[in-house]
Amino acid sequence: MNILSQSDKNELTKVFESDSIIWYGLDFSEFKLTNPLKLTHGPIIKYKYMKEWLKTHNSQTFNGQSLRTFMMKRLNKDKLLFVRSFSKLTIDSIDENNIVMNTSHTITQERVSEIIKSYKSYYEDGIGFVILVESFNKLTEHVSLLYIFFDTKNKEIISLKRVSSGASGAGMTNHWANGMIRCTKKYFYDYITPEYKKYKAEKRKSRS
């Protein structure tokens, strides 16, 4: 599993000092499956499997905790605000005939910025968090997700990380959902937790 930075903006202090996080959910709008053997399977992927991947990822327990509790604990937040139906709307927006491809797929940082700027603002102005589902690659058996914190007022990206992980397991749902779950655990354990500890240490040092 590997974490790759796709942004020179790493201002997680804003995230850690925000009173709450606005959880948009998973965005499938730019998703692609690389699998030459399933080029005609776009409709069933859109209308069946995307919803199953979403449900499996979001209902997964992370060391006995729900995804919501897990994220709140890792971000040290008492409140996590939800944007209802966001993920479903991103799935509905996809062209079912343009989901499966022969080659690998990468979302450019420029495109990511365009996507974030297209989001509506919900609740009060604050820090938004979204997971952009980039690709499932059958040729390499890897899942790639982008984890993005952004300012919901001006839509500027605060932190953007691409995380990839191997996929495994029987069946179309579990095989790829397992990779998604690994990516999310990897992101919080190997990136957010160390950065939060670093932030706390710097705060203690500044007070001494």
Side-chain angles (χ1 to χ4, degrees), residues 95-110:
D95 178 2
E96 63 198 61
N97 298 310
N98 193 30
I99 294 174
V100 189
M101 56 195 305
N102 285 308
T103 57
S104 60
H105 169 65
T106 301
I107 305 173
T108 65
Q109 188 167 328
E110 181 180 11

Side-chain angles (χ1 to χ4, degrees), residues 117-131:
K117 289 185 183 301
S118 74
Y119 289 167
K120 294 180 180 179
S121 295
Y122 299 87
Y123 300 101
E124 71 276 12
D125 295 332
I127 304 296
F129 179 55
V130 68
I131 300 175

Side-chain angles (χ1 to χ4, degrees), residues 162-176:
R162 173 180 282 117
V163 184
S164 63
S165 174
S168 64
M172 188 77 166
T173 299
N174 288 331
H175 185 77
W176 297 112

Side-chain angles (χ1 to χ4, degrees), residues 33-136:
L33 170 67
T34 300
N35 189 338
L37 300 180
K38 293 188 180 293
L39 292 176
T40 62
H41 290 209
I44 193 171
I45 291 171
K46 174 176 178 175
Y47 294 108
K48 178 182 179 182
Y49 288 115
M50 285 187 181
K51 295 173 184 176
E52 293 183 357
W53 294 328
L54 174 66
K55 181 179 179 180
T56 303
H57 175 273
N58 287 355
S59 64
Q60 169 72 14
T61 56
F62 293 79
N63 292 344
Q65 301 171 330
S66 68
L67 175 62
R68 177 177 180 273
T69 302
F70 175 78
M71 291 197 298
M72 288 173 63
K73 183 175 181 180
R74 291 292 146 189
L75 294 169
N76 196 41
K77 302 298 177 196
D78 296 324
K79 186 165 60 171
L80 192 67
L81 305 175
F82 287 88
V83 176
R84 297 188 181 279
S85 301
F86 173 84
S87 296
K88 180 181 182 300
L89 290 173
T90 68
I91 293 174
D92 290 344
S93 72
I94 295 175
D95 178 2
E96 63 198 61
N97 298 310
N98 193 30
I99 294 174
V100 189
M101 56 195 305
N102 285 308
T103 57
S104 60
H105 169 65
T106 301
I107 305 173
T108 65
Q109 188 167 328
E110 181 180 11
R111 180 57 185 149
V112 172
S113 295
E114 292 173 354
I115 294 167
I116 297 300
K117 289 185 183 301
S118 74
Y119 289 167
K120 294 180 180 179
S121 295
Y122 299 87
Y123 300 101
E124 71 276 12
D125 295 332
I127 304 296
F129 179 55
V130 68
I131 300 175
L132 190 57
V133 185
E134 182 173 48
S135 66
F136 299 166

